[in-house]
Amino acid sequence: MSDVVVVYHSGYGHTRVMAEAVALGVERHLGSTCRLIAVEDVETQWEYLHRADAIIFGAPTYMGSASAAFKGFMEATAAFYLAQPWRDKLAAGFTNSGCLCGDKLNTLLQMAVFAAQHSMIWVGLDVLPARSGTGLFDGQLNRLGSSLGAMAQSNVEQSPDDAPPPEDRCTAALLGERVARLAERLHHTPI
Ligand SMILES: Cc1cc2nc3c(=O)[nH]c(=O)nc-3n(C[C@H](O)[C@H](O)[C@H](O)COP(=O)(O)O)c2cc1C
């Protein structure tokens, strides 16, 4: 039973699909709740982030880094950085881009450093990378082989109905489920 917030940006809807998948994963952990907050709406919703047991960050990779709108959210938190209201909360992240690589590891690294600035505890992805003797990774969990967070790849000509593919959504859900499980152990287990 944990209270998780997913705060994300999505310019064209593909990363929002990931955010929804993460939220589904969180709520698979019995009794856990997940609130989705788009960065455009965060200004009136800081209290939900301050109260959460865990915050999961999501952004598309634009020009090899987190999108400018997500960076705007990161910079807005400077207003309360000195108070450290997110100290000891769990943090995790996901990103999505058009290319298989697309330099999206950099986006997760940005999120992990950001979480560390807020004295949060970073949770990686515990899904082993897809392996294939034939070189075909499609259809497998963690097909992009990420450890720091959940990655997705969306063909740019496809709509969010079709991209990212189901295996990336399932991988994102497993990250959400892990965060919910660990948040319960950290914040709700009697000492
Ligand atoms: C301004 C811009 C920059 C982009 N830069 C990258 C990039 O560096 N690497 C990549 O693989 N895809 C890049 N893309 C493709 C997006 O990451 C991809 O279309 C993604 O699915 C968009 O997510 P969204 O629908 O949530 O905005 C870029 C797209 C835009 C609009």
Side-chain angles (χ1 to χ4, degrees):
M1 185 178 82
S2 51
D3 173 15
V4 179
V5 167
V6 172
V7 59
Y8 72 97
H9 172 245
S10 181
Y12 303 92
H14 302 85
T15 311
R16 186 174 59 238
V17 167
M18 291 288 283
E20 289 164 355
V22 170
L24 276 178
V26 168
E27 294 188 343
R28 271 200 315 238
H29 187 70
L30 213 61
S32 294
T33 58
C34 189
R35 178 176 293 271
L36 284 172
I37 301 178
V39 291
E40 295 87 342
D41 302 328
V42 79
E43 212 45 57
T44 56
Q45 307 206 44
W46 288 114
E47 275 314 304
Y48 293 113
L49 286 104
H50 295 342
R51 279 206 304 264
D53 298 318
I55 304 174
I56 305 178
F57 305 111
T61 295
Y62 289 170
M63 302 313 296
S65 64
S67 58
F70 191 82
K71 285 296 305 290
F73 155 75
M74 291 165 73
E75 291 179 20
T77 69
F80 53 79
Y81 164 71
L82 290 178
Q84 294 275 286
W86 297 354
R87 176 184 296 280
D88 294 345
K89 291 185 192 301
L90 295 186
F94 60 94
T95 187
N96 164 60
S97 83
C99 301
L100 281 173
C101 169
D103 298 316
K104 55 185 165 260
L105 176 61
N106 189 49
T107 302
L108 295 180
L109 286 167
Q110 289 178 313
M111 292 172 180
V113 171
F114 170 67
Q117 288 205 339
H118 284 289
S119 302
M120 302 175 83
I121 303 163
W122 186 260
V123 176
L125 181 68
D126 64 341
V127 179
L128 288 177
R131 293 194 307 170
S132 171
T134 63
L136 297 174
F137 293 91
D138 287 354
Q140 297 189 56
L141 288 173
N142 197 10
R143 70 183 173 115
L144 299 170
S146 177
S147 311
L148 198 59
M151 287 183 178
Q153 179 268 332
S154 299
N155 294 331
V156 290
E157 69 279 5
Q158 287 186 312
S159 83
D161 290 339
D162 300 316
E167 54 267 42
D168 293 353
R169 303 176 194 215
C170 292
T171 303
L174 288 170
L175 178 68
E177 197 172 358
R178 181 178 203 209
V179 169
R181 191 171 62 245
L182 294 176
E184 179 175 336
R185 275 170 59 181
L186 185 67
H187 296 290
H188 299 284
T189 306
I191 301 170

